[in-house]
Amino acid sequence: MARLYHVSSIMNRESILAHGLDWTRMGAAPGIAGSAVPEEEGVFLCRDEFEVSFFVRINSTGGPVDVWAVADIDEQALIDAGSEFSYLPARIPRGQVTLVDGRSEQPVPATRSRVRQNKQRKKKPRAGT
């Protein structure tokens, strides 16, 4: 049995910690690819760091993502979704899921208003100077 991975918005962390991976509970955040509803009746899983990196990069959730390790999954049970990515057509209990990386936040591009705010802050004189 291989160690597999799942990438999800941190907005789903509490649900995953309570219930494991369950596509029927999707709703707190869009899917990594931006879908508002599950693309398949199952849980998308990554086989290696390359796939994990891909899902982290395409993150369309609008915020940081978690990477979860998933234990005790028979890779032969995975179904190709027609996109070279695979999903397990079953819920994955909490006991098989471990948060391994809560790191991945997409950089927020500087907007004009944010740049303007930063310039204005720099121009303000310090108290007592």
Side-chain angles (χ1 to χ4, degrees):
M1 303 245 177
R3 185 175 191 190
L4 302 172
Y5 302 91
H6 179 76
V7 179
S8 179
S9 168
I10 66 164
M11 290 189 283
N12 297 323
R13 186 182 292 174
E14 286 184 36
S15 176
I16 293 169
L17 288 171
H19 308 287
L21 298 171
D22 182 348
W23 71 96
T24 65
R25 293 180 176 275
M26 183 177 172
I32 290 297
S35 58
V37 296
E39 294 177 27
E40 300 291 344
E41 290 186 6
V43 178
F44 278 88
L45 296 172
C46 303
R47 290 186 165 98
D48 56 34
E49 183 62 34
F50 177 78
E51 284 185 20
V52 169
S53 295
F54 174 80
F55 282 104
V56 168
R57 279 193 322 274
I58 68 162
N59 175 16
S60 295
T61 67
V65 296
D66 288 331
V67 178
W68 299 85
V70 181
D72 301 326
I73 301 294
D74 181 359
E75 281 192 72
Q76 293 185 0
L78 298 179
I79 296 174
D80 184 327
S83 59
E84 297 183 31
F85 299 109
S86 301
Y87 68 95
L88 182 71
R91 292 172 180 86
I92 300 171
R94 170 66 186 103
Q96 288 178 245
V97 180
T98 304
L99 179 63
V100 293
D101 193 348
R103 61 165 161 135
S104 305
E105 184 167 1
Q106 296 290 12
V108 177
T111 62
R112 285 189 178 150
S113 62
R114 214 178 254 150
V115 171
R116 239 183 265 127
Q117 288 170 356
N118 288 338
K119 285 181 181 177
Q120 289 171 351
R121 283 186 196 133
K122 289 178 185 177
K123 289 181 183 178
K124 289 182 181 178
R126 290 185 177 172
T129 56

